[in-house]
Amino acid sequence: IRIVECSAGRLSMMIPYIGSLADASGGIDPGAVTTLVDTACGSVPLTMLADLRRTATLELRTDFIRACRPGSNVRCEARCLHVDRNVAFVQAEVHDGDDSGPVAVATGTFAIFASVKIGASGA
């Protein structure tokens, strides 16, 4: 997974086409697409925070509209709708370069954990 673009509240990540990630039709497998969506959506809230935090998926719904085109790269465009102290709300679209529409759309909520100082003692 590669970061393509990053700005406050927006994050674009992609999976380049690799044969080992393809399904029987030759497109990127839906499991790999789901991993891309979860990674992008779980990371986009970090673009809006002043300090490094951890996130965890609370709920993520990914609706697949169609299969990925054979041999195509897959890109996920995630945006953060709202971040409060403990939860982030996100949306995403997955594209494979076909202008007919997205491969999938997603919405989710992610827990945001308190910041941890590096080197801090847990005792």
Side-chain angles (χ1 to χ4, degrees), residues 32-118:
V33 174
T34 299
T35 299
L36 174 65
V37 169
D38 191 41
T39 302
C41 289
S43 299
V44 72
L46 302 176
T47 67
M48 299 180 67
L49 301 173
D51 54 341
L52 185 60
R53 306 270 199 86
R54 292 183 303 119
T55 63
T57 308
L58 294 174
E59 184 268 333
L60 182 61
R61 177 185 171 121
T62 304
D63 293 312
F64 283 85
I65 298 167
R66 61 180 177 81
C68 294
R69 289 181 310 134
S72 64
N73 298 333
V74 179
R75 183 171 172 156
C76 180
E77 308 279 344
R79 68 185 182 110
C80 193
L81 302 174
H82 178 74
V83 176
D84 68 22
R85 205 173 72 174
N86 301 308
V87 179
F89 303 86
V90 302
Q91 287 182 331
E93 283 193 7
V94 178
H95 296 273
D96 64 357
D98 184 343
D99 292 336
S100 68
V103 169
V105 294
T107 58
T109 54
F110 291 79
I112 300 174
F113 295 94
S115 61
V116 178
K117 295 183 189 222
I118 295 175

